[in-house]
Amino acid sequence: MTATIIDGKAVSQEIKEEVKVLTEKLNREHGITPGLAFILVGDNPASQVYVKNKAKACESLGFYSLTEKMPEDTSEEKVLAKIDEFNQDDRIHGILVQMPLPKQISEYRIIEAIHPSKDVDGLHPFNIGLFSAAKAWDEIMEKRLLLPCTPYGMMVLLDKYGIEVTGKRAVVVGRSNLGGKPTAMLLLSKNATVTIAHSRTANLAAVCREADILVAVIGKPLFIKKEFIKPGAAVLDVGINRTDGGLVGDVDFEAAKEVAGWITPVPGGVGAMTISMLMRNTLMAAEKKAGEINSKYETLNSKQTPKPEIQNAKKYDLEERTESFSKRVIDFVNDVPKDIVDSEIIKQLVRSSGSVGANYIEANESLSRKDYFMRAKISRKEAKETRYWLRLIKCNPAQEEERSALIQEATELMKILGAIITKSGGK
Ligand code: NAP
């Protein structure tokens, strides 16, 4: 067997294009340009390259960015003061302090000083707490939580390549706060059964061989051998190791690709996703600032966000409104190519009802498109259903005016429904 090579570069490019379009929209509709500030302390050559590449990405996407360079012997207080300045600056929606930092500076204190709403690296304990406490991936997406960029990128790759996570055995080798731990939490939120392995794990090869999804976040060149891999598994290699032979990952790629079902190369795999996810997080932080998105997180953190008007949203009004909205959407999506509509519906069904949805689809392959709609509409009173409509609307490139009107209606409905669901404890 030869594995499918997961092309992180291509997916990353796709995300950047999406971010660029949404950045233009945010700018056009709200006059807001996403802003990202970098703090680079010292002259570590690798850090300089990383910051330069991130700043370049900002420029190509139309972001505002600035880099504060500080000498190697800068005190922790000075870095904290700079962070505070950026926390107050309305042009800045994201702050990134490039790690590693010189010895006199505590990375933990630095991360903690960044305002959680500007923590686009997703490393602040508050943000880690939020996504760790979320029940499931859908909730994380719905609340638009800021996730650590590299683990988030991995989840996007699994999704883009249609790799099933629910019910699968996942083994993450590495337990760092930046790598292994958040990756494990995100896999858990997607219903994998997760094991975290580390340097003290006994029988590591055997533990890894159990994995349908194997993630290596170790920092040891070519450490994961062919024998560690279950045939057909998805292997995600986060390691970046500079060797005399060039850049290599933690996985012995050449041998592993003969056994794995999917595998990420190094370079061009997981690492290629990190910058795009950083850009996506920064855009999201700016969108939240624009008050476009409603979520529990936002009402906690952004005083400027208008509260949804739920007091007037009587039940029957809502039912009527969602009913008429659904009809408009059905008419509208009629020109979307059938395969796109069907795949969106299938994704939604699987998401909303898990294996029940999947079995339903399997047993009813002959269902007509209308029947799919009828089935999908069953849960339309839930906010996630409106999200599904929203995705369908976005699939149709035609009829710009109606599309904008529908998106606006979907967004408003999501706010009202989301607020009601939150208020009633998710019931
Ligand atoms: P780290 O903090 O050094 O953590 C390494 C982890 O690997 C630790 O949990 C360690 O276990 C475990 N480990 C070490 N030797 C092991 C062994 N022999 N068997 C099993 N586990 C072992 O490193 P990190 O920050 O997580 O980074 C890991 C790698 O990912 C590095 O190559 C880094 O460059 C790369 N990385 C890439 C990106 C990106 O693509 N953008 C982002 C982050 C990291 P113990 O806890 O028991 O010591």
Side-chain angles (χ1 to χ4, degrees):
M1 177 198 282
T2 304
T4 299
I5 311 295
I6 296 179
D7 189 345
K9 252 187 174 165
V11 177
S12 167
Q13 190 51 36
E14 229 177 86
I15 286 170
K16 280 189 192 149
E17 278 158 22
E18 195 182 292
V19 169
K20 191 166 186 200
V21 171
L22 292 172
T23 298
E24 283 161 8
K25 180 173 178 279
L26 184 69
N27 199 288
R28 204 172 48 243
E29 293 177 6
H30 296 271
I32 289 182
T33 300
L36 181 51
F38 301 99
I39 297 180
L40 176 61
V41 190
D43 34 39
N44 178 323
S47 295
Q48 285 181 353
V49 173
Y50 289 145
V51 169
K52 204 169 132 200
N53 289 342
K54 288 168 190 169
K56 244 179 163 171
C58 286
E59 198 186 332
S60 72
L61 299 181
F63 284 19
Y64 164 71
S65 86
L66 63 94
T67 302
E68 182 69 32
K69 288 187 182 158
M70 301 175 120
E72 183 78 26
D73 60 356
T74 306
S75 67
E76 188 174 282
E77 284 63 37
K78 276 207 172 138
V79 182
L80 290 173
K82 191 43 82 181
I83 291 173
D84 197 40
E85 190 185 312
F86 290 148
N87 276 340
Q88 314 291 336
D89 189 336
D90 281 346
R91 294 166 307 169
I92 306 292
H93 304 100
I95 303 170
L96 187 140
V97 182
Q98 186 62 47
M99 306 290 171
L101 289 165
K103 281 190 225 56
Q104 72 278 14
I105 303 173
S106 149
E107 289 185 353
Y108 188 79
R109 271 202 291 276
I110 292 299
I111 291 170
E112 226 186 9
I114 297 171
H115 192 280
S117 66
K118 297 194 179 190
D119 165 45
V120 286
D121 235 357
L123 301 176
H124 193 288
F126 182 80
N127 288 326
I128 291 175
L130 283 182
F131 78 76
S132 301
K135 268 202 208 112
W137 180 254
D138 276 359
E139 189 184 328
I140 292 174
M141 290 293 103
E142 208 165 295
K143 289 182 177 167
R144 308 201 82 197
L145 303 181
L146 288 168
L147 301 177
C149 301
T150 306
Y152 186 13
M154 265 187 277
M155 298 306 120
V156 172
L157 288 179
L158 289 170
D159 189 48
K160 291 274 177 187
Y161 278 79
I163 298 167
E164 182 62 58
V165 181
T166 295
K168 300 293 177 190
R169 289 291 307 267
V171 173
V172 180
V173 189
R175 56 175 160 179
S176 68
N177 287 334
L178 273 74
K181 275 189 207 160
T183 303
M185 290 312 294
L186 293 183
L187 286 164
L188 187 64
S189 79
K190 286 194 152 220
N191 304 317
T193 303
V194 186
T195 300
I196 305 180
H198 44 79
S199 65
R200 312 286 179 89
T201 299
N203 302 323
L204 183 66
V207 171
C208 292
R209 257 198 317 276
E210 301 253 300
D212 302 303
I213 298 168
L214 178 63
V215 183
V217 207
I218 311 165
K220 295 219 154 124
L222 314 181
F223 181 83
I224 301 288
K225 309 287 179 216
K226 189 177 174 180
E227 304 75 59
F228 288 43
I229 297 166
K230 176 177 173 177
V235 179
L236 300 167
D237 188 354
V238 187
I240 301 177
N241 306 291
R242 283 163 220 284
T243 67
D244 294 343
L247 215 58
V248 297
D250 290 342
V251 178
D252 182 356
F253 178 80
E254 286 307 322
K257 77 178 195 315
E258 300 306 322
V259 197
W262 297 266
I263 189 165
T264 58
V266 175
V270 174
M273 294 294 291
T274 305
I275 293 186
S276 329
M277 302 323 291
L278 174 70
M279 299 296 129
R280 194 187 248 196
N281 275 350
T282 307
L283 168 70
M284 197 165 79
E287 282 178 344
K288 282 184 171 181
K289 183 83 181 169
E292 278 196 350
I293 313 301
N294 172 59
S295 70
K296 206 172 177 183
Y297 169 85
E298 202 174 51
T299 52
L300 271 178
N301 289 287
S302 166
K303 298 214 166 51
Q304 288 112 324
T305 307
K307 296 237 163 50
E309 290 174 17
I310 55 169
Q311 59 275 39
N312 299 326
K314 293 196 190 104
K315 198 167 177 283
Y316 61 86
D317 286 344
L318 260 183
E319 277 180 3
E320 253 175 38
R321 202 166 155 184
T322 49
E323 182 68 45
S324 102
F325 175 67
S326 305
K327 281 191 188 128
R328 277 170 69 194
V329 174
I330 290 175
D331 287 345
F332 185 74
V333 296
N334 263 339
D335 346 325
V336 182
K338 185 179 179 321
D339 53 336
I340 296 182
V341 175
D342 286 353
S343 77
E344 285 298 321
I345 291 169
I346 288 167
K347 269 193 223 159
Q348 170 64 16
L349 282 179
V350 171
R351 216 168 256 169
S352 60
S353 41
S355 55
V356 179
N359 293 340
Y360 181 88
I361 292 160
E362 253 171 45
N364 293 280
E365 262 181 358
S366 58
L367 275 185
S368 71
R369 193 163 156 189
K370 194 169 156 233
D371 291 330
Y372 275 140
F373 274 123
M374 295 312 291
R375 172 65 183 79
K377 272 169 64 184
I378 290 170
S379 59
R380 69 166 181 271
K381 290 190 198 78
E382 295 169 25
K384 63 186 174 190
E385 174 63 11
T386 317
R387 277 202 313 150
Y388 147 72
W389 290 126
L390 189 58
R391 282 175 29 197
L392 276 184
I393 297 162
K394 285 179 177 167
C395 288
N396 189 345
Q399 303 178 51
E400 178 62 37
E401 213 171 293
E402 176 66 350
R403 185 159 60 120
S404 303
L406 284 171
I407 289 176
Q408 196 179 342
E409 174 73 352
T411 311
E412 277 172 30
L413 279 172
M414 272 196 297
K415 280 185 185 175
I416 297 169
L417 291 165
I420 287 173
I421 286 170
T422 304
K423 232 182 150 200
S424 63
K427 291 182 188 83

